[in-house]
Amino acid sequence: MKNKGKRFLGLLLTVVMLLTLVVGCGGQKSGTTTKEVKMGTILPLSGSAAPLGKIGQQARDMAIEEINEAGGIKSLDGAKIKMVYADSKGDPAVGVSEAERLITQEEVCLITGCYQSGVAMPSTEVAERYQIPYFVDVPSEDQITERGFKYIFRLAEKTSWRNLAQTEFVTEMSKKYNTPVKTVGLIYENTAWGQGAVRAWEKYLPEAGLKIIMKEPYPTNSSDLTPVVLKAKQLNPDIIMMVSYVSDAALLTKTFAEHQVKPLAFIGTSGGFADPTYYNLAGDASEYFFDISTWEPDVNRPSSKEVNERFKAKYGYGMNAEAVKAYAGMYVIADALERAGSTEPEKIREAFAATDINEGATQMYASQTKFDETGQMINAPLVICQYQKVNGKMERVTVWPEKEARVGSKIVWPYPGVAK
Amino acid sequence: MTGININKNSVILAVLVVLLLLLPMAVTKPYYLHVIIICLLWAYLASSWNIIGGFAGQLSLGHGIYTAIGAYITVILFNTFGLSPWLGLFVGGGAAILLSLVIGYPTFGLRGAYYALATVAISEGIVVLLNNTGSIGRFTVGGAEGLIVKMVGNSAVAFQFNSKIPYYYIVLIMVFLIIFVAKWLKESKLGYYLVALREDEDAAAAMGINVRRNKLIAGAISAFFTALGGVFYAMLIRYLEPNAIAGAGMSTQMVFLAIVGGSGTVLGPVIGGILLALISEIIRFYLGGQLMGLHLFIYGMIVLLMIIYQPRGIIELFEKIGQRFSRKHNDEGGRSGAEDPSGA
C-alpha cells in the first residue's frame, strides 16, 4: 500500500523528534557547586489544590531565606539551600514522574512535600527505591509511615492521632467538669477521610470506656442534613463528633441550632470546621463548637506569633497549620544537614533518624521533634480550639492542652445551647 | 506498488524498529526513559480508545473504567493471592470485556450525545463506587485512600522492576501490538462495517449490518486493550487512586489525544499520544515550578491551535509531508482527492 510508507515516515519523524529532545536535554548538566545544597519539593502548584500548594511554597521560601541569611549550613562551609519546586498537579502519576525527575535529573539530595496523601504514597516509594530521603511534612494518611520504608520521615501527625486526641480531650473534660460522658454519636462524610476517622474512633472511644450509639454517614455536599440531625436529637448522645467539609459543616451547625440539639459538646475534626469560610456560613450557631488542629494563630508556643507576623508582612495573609509544618520542616531539614555534614543521602538519612530538636524555630510547631523507627514524628502536637466570641467577634480560641491554650482563655463546657 | 517501494518501506520499518529497540542505550537517565514510557502508554491508550471511538465513531467519554477494572483486578489478585500480574491481566482484561458488554448492550442503542452522556454517567458512578469501597470480603480495594501494589523488589514474575528498561520494552511491544490490531481491524470486514455504521447507522442497518453486534465487538476489543493499559499503569506507578485511574481526567485524555492525533486512523492516536504527552512533559519540565499553572495554559493553547488549524488530526499533516516527500522522489502524479493538500 502506498499509504504505508507515509505512515511509517510519520512515525519515523516522531521518533526523530523524541531523540532530539533526549539528546538536547541530556546536554545540560546540572552543575553542583560545593556552596549549594540542592533539594526538591513536590507540591500541587496547579489544579484544585493550587492555593494550598502555594502557601506551602511560600512558607518554605521564607524559612530558606532565613536559614541562608543566617549563614547557610555551617558544617558544609556555609552552603546555601537551593530548592527545586515540582508541580504534582495533585495527580499521583505526575507525582511519581516528578520524583523521578528530581532524583535522577536534578540530582537532589532529598525531597520534601507533597500536600496530598494520594501523591505521597507512590512518590515516597520512588524515593525509597532510589534511597533518597523523603521528608513528608503535611500528608497524614496513617499508612505512609507504616510500610517499613527506611528513607521516609514524617513531621505531620497520623490522621488517627486526631481521633485519639479528641478522645483524650473528652475524657479529661468529663472529669474536670464532673459531667459523666458515656455515649458518643459520629456524623461523617462518607469518603476516605470520614471512613478513616470512623475506624480510628471505633478503636479509641471504646478503649476510653465510651460507647458509640450512633454512626451516621452522609454524602459530601448534601443539600439537607435534617434527617441526620433529627436522628441525633432522638438518640441524644453525650458527645457529637463530626468529619465534614466546609459546606456540610456549616449546614450541620445551623441545623443543630435550629432543632435545639444539646449534647455536652460538638467536636469537629479540622477540615471544614477549620476553614476560614466556616464561620461566615454558619454564623453565630458555631459558637462553642470545638475543633482539633495542629496549630492555631493564637496558640501559646514560643516564636509562633512572631513567625506568623513575619509571614503576614511578607505575603499579606496569615499562616495555616500546613504552612507552619512546611516552615518548621525546613528547620528540621537544616538541622539534619548540619549534623550530617554531607549531602550524601545515606548520611542525611542517618541524621534524620537521630533528630532530637528541643529549641529554635521548630518550637512554633512542637516542643520536641524526634522520629521513631518508622520515621514517624513522635508526639506530633494537637490542640483543641473552641469558637468563642472575643470582644463581640467570633474567634477560634485555643483551649487545650492547658499549657498551649491562649493566655486568659476559658473552656465553655458543657455546651450551653444556642444563644437566643 | 512496485517492488522498490515495498523495499523502501521495509527499510524504513527496519530502521525504525532498530532505533526504538536501541533507544534505552542512548537514554541512560531514568527520568527521560520514564517520560518516554508515559508517552508510549498514552499513545497506547489513545489507540485502544480509537477502536470504538474512532473506527466505530462511538464517543465514549468513560474509558477510564476499563483502565480501572484492569488495574484493580490485577492488583487485587496479586496483593491477595500473589497471582502474577502477567496472568492477572487476562482476568482484568476479561472483566473489562464483560463490563463493556453489560454497558454496551443497553447504551449502544443510544446515539450521539446521548451515548456520550451515558458513558460519562457510568464512569462517574464507578469512580464513586471505587471511592467508597474499602474492601469486599477479604479483598482490599482501598477506597478513596487508594490501593498500594505490594512491593516485592526486582521481580519479573511480579511485573516489578527497579530499572525502567523492562517497562520501556513492555510498553513498546504493547504499542506495536495495538498498531497491528488497529491495522488488522481497519482492513477486516469488521472494520468496514464499523466505518459504515459510523458514517450512517441507518444506511448500514438497511444494508444488513448488525449494528449493535458490531458495536459490541468493537467495544469489547477496545475495552480489553484499554484494560491492559491500566494494568501497565498500575505496575509502573504501583499505586491506584480512584480519581486518577478511573476519573474524568483519564477518560478525556484518551479521547483528546486520539482526536488531536487523528481519530479513525491507525497511527493518528499513536502520534497524538506521543506528541502531546511529550509537549506536556517538556512544558512542565521547563515551567513547572514557576508561574502557577502557566504550563497547563500553554499546553491548552497548543491543543487549541492544533484543533483549529489541523482539525483532522496531526496524522494528516504527516501524510501531507509524506506525500510531498514521495512525490518528489518517485515523481508520481497519482493522488487521491481526499488527500489533496490543496483541499485544506
mmCIF file of all heavy atoms in Angstrom, chain B residues 56-100:
data_model
loop_
_atom_site.group_PDB
_atom_site.id
_atom_site.type_symbol
_atom_site.label_atom_id
_atom_site.label_comp_id
_atom_site.label_asym_id
_atom_site.label_seq_id
_atom_site.Cartn_x
_atom_site.Cartn_y
_atom_site.Cartn_z
ATOM 1 N N ALA B 56 -15.385 3.064 15.080
ATOM 2 C CA ALA B 56 -16.833 2.893 15.137
ATOM 3 C C ALA B 56 -17.551 4.218 15.409
ATOM 4 O O ALA B 56 -18.770 4.277 15.372
ATOM 5 C CB ALA B 56 -17.196 1.876 16.213
ATOM 6 N N GLY B 57 -16.780 5.264 15.711
ATOM 7 C CA GLY B 57 -17.370 6.591 15.888
ATOM 8 C C GLY B 57 -18.266 6.733 17.105
ATOM 9 O O GLY B 57 -19.115 7.608 17.167
ATOM 10 N N GLN B 58 -18.093 5.876 18.108
ATOM 11 C CA GLN B 58 -18.902 5.985 19.330
ATOM 12 C C GLN B 58 -18.113 6.781 20.362
ATOM 13 O O GLN B 58 -17.118 6.292 20.891
ATOM 14 C CB GLN B 58 -19.231 4.595 19.894
ATOM 15 C CG GLN B 58 -19.950 3.702 18.910
ATOM 16 C CD GLN B 58 -21.252 4.305 18.434
ATOM 17 O OE1 GLN B 58 -22.110 4.656 19.227
ATOM 18 N NE2 GLN B 58 -21.399 4.452 17.120
ATOM 19 N N LEU B 59 -18.540 7.993 20.635
ATOM 20 C CA LEU B 59 -17.774 8.878 21.508
ATOM 21 C C LEU B 59 -17.898 8.436 22.970
ATOM 22 O O LEU B 59 -18.747 8.906 23.710
ATOM 23 C CB LEU B 59 -18.268 10.320 21.353
ATOM 24 C CG LEU B 59 -17.430 11.372 22.079
ATOM 25 C CD1 LEU B 59 -16.026 11.428 21.504
ATOM 26 C CD2 LEU B 59 -18.089 12.732 22.000
ATOM 27 N N SER B 60 -17.027 7.522 23.366
ATOM 28 C CA SER B 60 -17.033 7.059 24.757
ATOM 29 C C SER B 60 -16.211 8.021 25.596
ATOM 30 O O SER B 60 -15.022 8.197 25.352
ATOM 31 C CB SER B 60 -16.447 5.654 24.848
ATOM 32 O OG SER B 60 -16.121 5.381 26.193
ATOM 33 N N LEU B 61 -16.829 8.635 26.583
ATOM 34 C CA LEU B 61 -16.106 9.553 27.464
ATOM 35 C C LEU B 61 -15.884 8.901 28.823
ATOM 36 O O LEU B 61 -15.633 9.571 29.810
ATOM 37 C CB LEU B 61 -16.887 10.854 27.619
ATOM 38 C CG LEU B 61 -17.055 11.670 26.341
ATOM 39 C CD1 LEU B 61 -17.903 12.896 26.589
ATOM 40 C CD2 LEU B 61 -15.699 12.077 25.789
ATOM 41 N N GLY B 62 -15.984 7.578 28.863
ATOM 42 C CA GLY B 62 -15.835 6.909 30.154
ATOM 43 C C GLY B 62 -14.891 5.721 30.098
ATOM 44 O O GLY B 62 -15.058 4.749 30.827
ATOM 45 N N HIS B 63 -13.867 5.812 29.224
ATOM 46 C CA HIS B 63 -12.977 4.665 29.107
ATOM 47 C C HIS B 63 -12.109 4.441 30.330
ATOM 48 O O HIS B 63 -11.456 3.405 30.442
ATOM 49 C CB HIS B 63 -12.114 4.798 27.847
ATOM 50 C CG HIS B 63 -12.542 3.867 26.751
ATOM 51 N ND1 HIS B 63 -13.857 3.719 26.388
ATOM 52 C CD2 HIS B 63 -11.833 3.009 25.971
ATOM 53 C CE1 HIS B 63 -13.939 2.827 25.421
ATOM 54 N NE2 HIS B 63 -12.737 2.374 25.153
ATOM 55 N N GLY B 64 -12.078 5.419 31.239
ATOM 56 C CA GLY B 64 -11.318 5.249 32.471
ATOM 57 C C GLY B 64 -11.768 4.035 33.273
ATOM 58 O O GLY B 64 -10.978 3.428 33.998
ATOM 59 N N ILE B 65 -13.024 3.638 33.125
ATOM 60 C CA ILE B 65 -13.480 2.481 33.903
ATOM 61 C C ILE B 65 -12.768 1.211 33.445
ATOM 62 O O ILE B 65 -12.570 0.296 34.232
ATOM 63 C CB ILE B 65 -15.014 2.277 33.801
ATOM 64 C CG1 ILE B 65 -15.456 2.136 32.353
ATOM 65 C CG2 ILE B 65 -15.757 3.389 34.480
ATOM 66 C CD1 ILE B 65 -16.935 1.806 32.222
ATOM 67 N N TYR B 66 -12.351 1.162 32.178
ATOM 68 C CA TYR B 66 -11.657 -0.050 31.717
ATOM 69 C C TYR B 66 -10.212 -0.079 32.204
ATOM 70 O O TYR B 66 -9.718 -1.133 32.602
ATOM 71 C CB TYR B 66 -11.731 -0.164 30.195
ATOM 72 C CG TYR B 66 -13.158 -0.207 29.693
ATOM 73 C CD1 TYR B 66 -13.632 0.724 28.784
ATOM 74 C CD2 TYR B 66 -14.048 -1.170 30.175
ATOM 75 C CE1 TYR B 66 -14.940 0.703 28.343
ATOM 76 C CE2 TYR B 66 -15.364 -1.199 29.749
ATOM 77 C CZ TYR B 66 -15.815 -0.260 28.830
ATOM 78 O OH TYR B 66 -17.112 -0.284 28.417
ATOM 79 N N THR B 67 -9.537 1.075 32.191
ATOM 80 C CA THR B 67 -8.199 1.080 32.792
ATOM 81 C C THR B 67 -8.319 0.689 34.255
ATOM 82 O O THR B 67 -7.507 -0.062 34.772
ATOM 83 C CB THR B 67 -7.543 2.475 32.704
ATOM 84 O OG1 THR B 67 -8.466 3.452 33.153
ATOM 85 C CG2 THR B 67 -7.099 2.802 31.298
ATOM 86 N N ALA B 68 -9.380 1.200 34.906
ATOM 87 C CA ALA B 68 -9.542 0.934 36.338
ATOM 88 C C ALA B 68 -9.805 -0.544 36.598
ATOM 89 O O ALA B 68 -9.175 -1.150 37.461
ATOM 90 C CB ALA B 68 -10.683 1.783 36.904
ATOM 91 N N ILE B 69 -10.720 -1.140 35.824
ATOM 92 C CA ILE B 69 -11.070 -2.526 36.137
ATOM 93 C C ILE B 69 -9.880 -3.449 35.883
ATOM 94 O O ILE B 69 -9.593 -4.356 36.666
ATOM 95 C CB ILE B 69 -12.348 -2.980 35.393
ATOM 96 C CG1 ILE B 69 -12.877 -4.249 36.041
ATOM 97 C CG2 ILE B 69 -12.118 -3.202 33.912
ATOM 98 C CD1 ILE B 69 -14.286 -4.616 35.634
ATOM 99 N N GLY B 70 -9.153 -3.194 34.798
ATOM 100 C CA GLY B 70 -7.957 -3.998 34.531
ATOM 101 C C GLY B 70 -6.949 -3.853 35.658
ATOM 102 O O GLY B 70 -6.439 -4.835 36.206
ATOM 103 N N ALA B 71 -6.687 -2.605 36.035
ATOM 104 C CA ALA B 71 -5.677 -2.338 37.056
ATOM 105 C C ALA B 71 -6.102 -2.902 38.408
ATOM 106 O O ALA B 71 -5.338 -3.617 39.065
ATOM 107 C CB ALA B 71 -5.454 -0.830 37.164
ATOM 108 N N TYR B 72 -7.325 -2.604 38.818
ATOM 109 C CA TYR B 72 -7.770 -3.025 40.142
ATOM 110 C C TYR B 72 -7.794 -4.552 40.270
ATOM 111 O O TYR B 72 -7.295 -5.104 41.258
ATOM 112 C CB TYR B 72 -9.151 -2.437 40.469
ATOM 113 C CG TYR B 72 -9.064 -1.127 41.200
ATOM 114 C CD1 TYR B 72 -9.121 0.084 40.519
ATOM 115 C CD2 TYR B 72 -8.889 -1.084 42.575
ATOM 116 C CE1 TYR B 72 -9.017 1.295 41.193
ATOM 117 C CE2 TYR B 72 -8.787 0.109 43.254
ATOM 118 C CZ TYR B 72 -8.857 1.303 42.559
ATOM 119 O OH TYR B 72 -8.744 2.481 43.234
ATOM 120 N N ILE B 73 -8.370 -5.232 39.271
ATOM 121 C CA ILE B 73 -8.480 -6.688 39.391
ATOM 122 C C ILE B 73 -7.097 -7.321 39.441
ATOM 123 O O ILE B 73 -6.811 -8.171 40.291
ATOM 124 C CB ILE B 73 -9.343 -7.253 38.249
ATOM 125 C CG1 ILE B 73 -10.798 -6.868 38.517
ATOM 126 C CG2 ILE B 73 -9.178 -8.766 38.127
ATOM 127 C CD1 ILE B 73 -11.805 -7.466 37.588
ATOM 128 N N THR B 74 -6.213 -6.876 38.570
ATOM 129 C CA THR B 74 -4.872 -7.437 38.552
ATOM 130 C C THR B 74 -4.153 -7.211 39.884
ATOM 131 O O THR B 74 -3.548 -8.123 40.448
ATOM 132 C CB THR B 74 -4.062 -6.808 37.407
ATOM 133 O OG1 THR B 74 -4.805 -6.945 36.209
ATOM 134 C CG2 THR B 74 -2.721 -7.485 37.258
ATOM 135 N N VAL B 75 -4.251 -5.976 40.392
ATOM 136 C CA VAL B 75 -3.541 -5.654 41.633
ATOM 137 C C VAL B 75 -4.166 -6.389 42.822
ATOM 138 O O VAL B 75 -3.451 -6.919 43.684
ATOM 139 C CB VAL B 75 -3.540 -4.128 41.872
ATOM 140 C CG1 VAL B 75 -2.977 -3.801 43.242
ATOM 141 C CG2 VAL B 75 -2.734 -3.429 40.797
ATOM 142 N N ILE B 76 -5.490 -6.458 42.858
ATOM 143 C CA ILE B 76 -6.148 -7.139 43.977
ATOM 144 C C ILE B 76 -5.768 -8.621 43.969
ATOM 145 O O ILE B 76 -5.434 -9.195 45.023
ATOM 146 C CB ILE B 76 -7.688 -6.963 43.908
ATOM 147 C CG1 ILE B 76 -8.051 -5.513 44.247
ATOM 148 C CG2 ILE B 76 -8.390 -7.911 44.873
ATOM 149 C CD1 ILE B 76 -9.496 -5.154 43.977
ATOM 150 N N LEU B 77 -5.762 -9.247 42.801
ATOM 151 C CA LEU B 77 -5.377 -10.660 42.733
ATOM 152 C C LEU B 77 -3.927 -10.847 43.158
ATOM 153 O O LEU B 77 -3.581 -11.805 43.845
ATOM 154 C CB LEU B 77 -5.580 -11.196 41.309
ATOM 155 C CG LEU B 77 -7.038 -11.383 40.883
ATOM 156 C CD1 LEU B 77 -7.116 -11.815 39.432
ATOM 157 C CD2 LEU B 77 -7.734 -12.405 41.775
ATOM 158 N N PHE B 78 -3.086 -9.905 42.768
ATOM 159 C CA PHE B 78 -1.671 -10.002 43.140
ATOM 160 C C PHE B 78 -1.492 -9.804 44.645
ATOM 161 O O PHE B 78 -0.817 -10.583 45.309
ATOM 162 C CB PHE B 78 -0.855 -8.964 42.364
ATOM 163 C CG PHE B 78 0.586 -8.912 42.792
ATOM 164 C CD1 PHE B 78 1.436 -9.978 42.524
ATOM 165 C CD2 PHE B 78 1.084 -7.822 43.475
ATOM 166 C CE1 PHE B 78 2.765 -9.946 42.930
ATOM 167 C CE2 PHE B 78 2.407 -7.783 43.881
ATOM 168 C CZ PHE B 78 3.251 -8.850 43.606
ATOM 169 N N ASN B 79 -2.136 -8.780 45.188
ATOM 170 C CA ASN B 79 -1.991 -8.492 46.619
ATOM 171 C C ASN B 79 -2.573 -9.603 47.491
ATOM 172 O O ASN B 79 -2.035 -9.911 48.546
ATOM 173 C CB ASN B 79 -2.688 -7.171 46.968
ATOM 174 C CG ASN B 79 -1.868 -5.965 46.554
ATOM 175 O OD1 ASN B 79 -0.734 -6.105 46.088
ATOM 176 N ND2 ASN B 79 -2.428 -4.788 46.708
ATOM 177 N N THR B 80 -3.697 -10.184 47.053
ATOM 178 C CA THR B 80 -4.381 -11.163 47.897
ATOM 179 C C THR B 80 -3.799 -12.559 47.735
ATOM 180 O O THR B 80 -3.527 -13.240 48.719
ATOM 181 C CB THR B 80 -5.887 -11.201 47.561
ATOM 182 O OG1 THR B 80 -6.327 -9.881 47.285
ATOM 183 C CG2 THR B 80 -6.692 -11.768 48.708
ATOM 184 N N PHE B 81 -3.633 -12.998 46.485
ATOM 185 C CA PHE B 81 -3.202 -14.381 46.254
ATOM 186 C C PHE B 81 -1.769 -14.480 45.748
ATOM 187 O O PHE B 81 -1.258 -15.569 45.545
ATOM 188 C CB PHE B 81 -4.116 -15.059 45.238
ATOM 189 C CG PHE B 81 -5.563 -15.075 45.639
ATOM 190 C CD1 PHE B 81 -6.508 -14.398 44.903
ATOM 191 C CD2 PHE B 81 -5.973 -15.775 46.771
ATOM 192 C CE1 PHE B 81 -7.847 -14.416 45.267
ATOM 193 C CE2 PHE B 81 -7.307 -15.799 47.144
ATOM 194 C CZ PHE B 81 -8.245 -15.115 46.392
ATOM 195 N N GLY B 82 -1.147 -13.352 45.485
ATOM 196 C CA GLY B 82 0.180 -13.388 44.906
ATOM 197 C C GLY B 82 0.162 -13.828 43.453
ATOM 198 O O GLY B 82 1.184 -14.231 42.905
ATOM 199 N N LEU B 83 -1.015 -13.753 42.821
ATOM 200 C CA LEU B 83 -1.117 -14.146 41.419
ATOM 201 C C LEU B 83 -0.326 -13.159 40.548
ATOM 202 O O LEU B 83 -0.520 -11.964 40.639
ATOM 203 C CB LEU B 83 -2.584 -14.155 40.981
ATOM 204 C CG LEU B 83 -2.833 -14.559 39.530
ATOM 205 C CD1 LEU B 83 -2.625 -16.055 39.340
ATOM 206 C CD2 LEU B 83 -4.225 -14.161 39.077
ATOM 207 N N SER B 84 0.562 -13.713 39.727
ATOM 208 C CA SER B 84 1.399 -12.858 38.882
ATOM 209 C C SER B 84 0.532 -11.939 38.019
ATOM 210 O O SER B 84 -0.424 -12.382 37.389
ATOM 211 C CB SER B 84 2.264 -13.722 37.981
ATOM 212 O OG SER B 84 2.808 -12.932 36.943
ATOM 213 N N PRO B 85 0.887 -10.654 37.969
ATOM 214 C CA PRO B 85 0.118 -9.725 37.129
ATOM 215 C C PRO B 85 0.066 -10.166 35.664
ATOM 216 O O PRO B 85 -0.842 -9.801 34.939
ATOM 217 C CB PRO B 85 0.882 -8.411 37.265
ATOM 218 C CG PRO B 85 1.559 -8.522 38.574
ATOM 219 C CD PRO B 85 1.917 -9.965 38.736
ATOM 220 N N TRP B 86 1.052 -10.961 35.236
ATOM 221 C CA TRP B 86 1.056 -11.433 33.849
ATOM 222 C C TRP B 86 -0.159 -12.319 33.582
ATOM 223 O O TRP B 86 -0.659 -12.359 32.468
ATOM 224 C CB TRP B 86 2.331 -12.205 33.545
ATOM 225 C CG TRP B 86 3.540 -11.332 33.604
ATOM 226 C CD1 TRP B 86 4.484 -11.300 34.578
ATOM 227 C CD2 TRP B 86 3.922 -10.339 32.650
ATOM 228 N NE1 TRP B 86 5.423 -10.358 34.295
ATOM 229 C CE2 TRP B 86 5.109 -9.752 33.121
ATOM 230 C CE3 TRP B 86 3.363 -9.882 31.456
ATOM 231 C CZ2 TRP B 86 5.757 -8.738 32.432
ATOM 232 C CZ3 TRP B 86 4.016 -8.872 30.762
ATOM 233 C CH2 TRP B 86 5.195 -8.324 31.254
ATOM 234 N N LEU B 87 -0.596 -13.060 34.624
ATOM 235 C CA LEU B 87 -1.821 -13.848 34.489
ATOM 236 C C LEU B 87 -3.032 -13.001 34.859
ATOM 237 O O LEU B 87 -4.076 -13.077 34.219
ATOM 238 C CB LEU B 87 -1.746 -15.080 35.401
ATOM 239 C CG LEU B 87 -0.591 -16.032 35.109
ATOM 240 C CD1 LEU B 87 -0.500 -17.128 36.155
ATOM 241 C CD2 LEU B 87 -0.758 -16.630 33.722
ATOM 242 N N GLY B 88 -2.842 -12.176 35.878
ATOM 243 C CA GLY B 88 -3.937 -11.329 36.355
ATOM 244 C C GLY B 88 -4.469 -10.423 35.261
ATOM 245 O O GLY B 88 -5.664 -10.126 35.220
ATOM 246 N N LEU B 89 -3.585 -10.011 34.339
ATOM 247 C CA LEU B 89 -4.045 -9.071 33.322
ATOM 248 C C LEU B 89 -5.085 -9.697 32.398
ATOM 249 O O LEU B 89 -5.936 -8.993 31.848
ATOM 250 C CB LEU B 89 -2.871 -8.485 32.535
ATOM 251 C CG LEU B 89 -1.980 -9.349 31.659
ATOM 252 C CD1 LEU B 89 -2.562 -9.492 30.255
ATOM 253 C CD2 LEU B 89 -0.610 -8.700 31.566
ATOM 254 N N PHE B 90 -5.030 -11.045 32.264
ATOM 255 C CA PHE B 90 -6.056 -11.690 31.442
ATOM 256 C C PHE B 90 -7.403 -11.683 32.163
ATOM 257 O O PHE B 90 -8.449 -11.495 31.540
ATOM 258 C CB PHE B 90 -5.649 -13.123 31.097
ATOM 259 C CG PHE B 90 -4.502 -13.161 30.117
ATOM 260 C CD1 PHE B 90 -3.226 -13.483 30.539
ATOM 261 C CD2 PHE B 90 -4.718 -12.839 28.786
ATOM 262 C CE1 PHE B 90 -2.178 -13.489 29.641
ATOM 263 C CE2 PHE B 90 -3.675 -12.832 27.880
ATOM 264 C CZ PHE B 90 -2.393 -13.160 28.309
ATOM 265 N N VAL B 91 -7.344 -11.862 33.492
ATOM 266 C CA VAL B 91 -8.578 -11.783 34.264
ATOM 267 C C VAL B 91 -9.142 -10.360 34.187
ATOM 268 O O VAL B 91 -10.334 -10.160 33.931
ATOM 269 C CB VAL B 91 -8.330 -12.173 35.747
ATOM 270 C CG1 VAL B 91 -9.648 -12.200 36.508
ATOM 271 C CG2 VAL B 91 -7.623 -13.514 35.839
ATOM 272 N N GLY B 92 -8.247 -9.381 34.382
ATOM 273 C CA GLY B 92 -8.663 -7.977 34.312
ATOM 274 C C GLY B 92 -9.210 -7.631 32.937
ATOM 275 O O GLY B 92 -10.255 -6.990 32.809
ATOM 276 N N GLY B 93 -8.517 -8.096 31.892
ATOM 277 C CA GLY B 93 -8.952 -7.843 30.517
ATOM 278 C C GLY B 93 -10.295 -8.501 30.250
ATOM 279 O O GLY B 93 -11.186 -7.907 29.634
ATOM 280 N N GLY B 94 -10.453 -9.737 30.750
ATOM 281 C CA GLY B 94 -11.717 -10.460 30.577
ATOM 282 C C GLY B 94 -12.858 -9.728 31.263
ATOM 283 O O GLY B 94 -13.951 -9.581 30.699
ATOM 284 N N ALA B 95 -12.576 -9.232 32.480
ATOM 285 C CA ALA B 95 -13.609 -8.495 33.214
ATOM 286 C C ALA B 95 -13.995 -7.230 32.455
ATOM 287 O O ALA B 95 -15.168 -6.844 32.425
ATOM 288 C CB ALA B 95 -13.105 -8.144 34.611
ATOM 289 N N ALA B 96 -12.993 -6.593 31.828
ATOM 290 C CA ALA B 96 -13.276 -5.373 31.056
ATOM 291 C C ALA B 96 -14.195 -5.702 29.878
ATOM 292 O O ALA B 96 -15.113 -4.944 29.566
ATOM 293 C CB ALA B 96 -11.976 -4.747 30.567
ATOM 294 N N ILE B 97 -13.935 -6.851 29.223
ATOM 295 C CA ILE B 97 -14.794 -7.261 28.100
ATOM 296 C C ILE B 97 -16.231 -7.442 28.591
ATOM 297 O O ILE B 97 -17.179 -6.921 28.000
ATOM 298 C CB ILE B 97 -14.280 -8.573 27.467
ATOM 299 C CG1 ILE B 97 -12.958 -8.311 26.753
ATOM 300 C CG2 ILE B 97 -15.313 -9.153 26.504
ATOM 301 C CD1 ILE B 97 -12.325 -9.535 26.143
ATOM 302 N N LEU B 98 -16.375 -8.165 29.715
ATOM 303 C CA LEU B 98 -17.705 -8.376 30.285
ATOM 304 C C LEU B 98 -18.400 -7.052 30.582
ATOM 305 O O LEU B 98 -19.548 -6.834 30.212
ATOM 306 C CB LEU B 98 -17.596 -9.179 31.585
ATOM 307 C CG LEU B 98 -17.584 -10.700 31.428
ATOM 308 C CD1 LEU B 98 -17.470 -11.365 32.791
ATOM 309 C CD2 LEU B 98 -18.860 -11.148 30.719
ATOM 310 N N LEU B 99 -17.642 -6.177 31.242
ATOM 311 C CA LEU B 99 -18.198 -4.878 31.611
ATOM 312 C C LEU B 99 -18.636 -4.113 30.365
ATOM 313 O O LEU B 99 -19.711 -3.496 30.337
ATOM 314 C CB LEU B 99 -17.162 -4.073 32.394
ATOM 315 C CG LEU B 99 -17.624 -2.730 32.957
ATOM 316 C CD1 LEU B 99 -18.665 -2.931 34.030
ATOM 317 C CD2 LEU B 99 -16.443 -1.947 33.526
ATOM 318 N N SER B 100 -17.810 -4.191 29.313
ATOM 319 C CA SER B 100 -18.150 -3.438 28.098
ATOM 320 C C SER B 100 -19.425 -3.983 27.474
ATOM 321 O O SER B 100 -20.221 -3.229 26.913
ATOM 322 C CB SER B 100 -16.991 -3.492 27.102
ATOM 323 O OG SER B 100 -17.031 -4.699 26.363
#
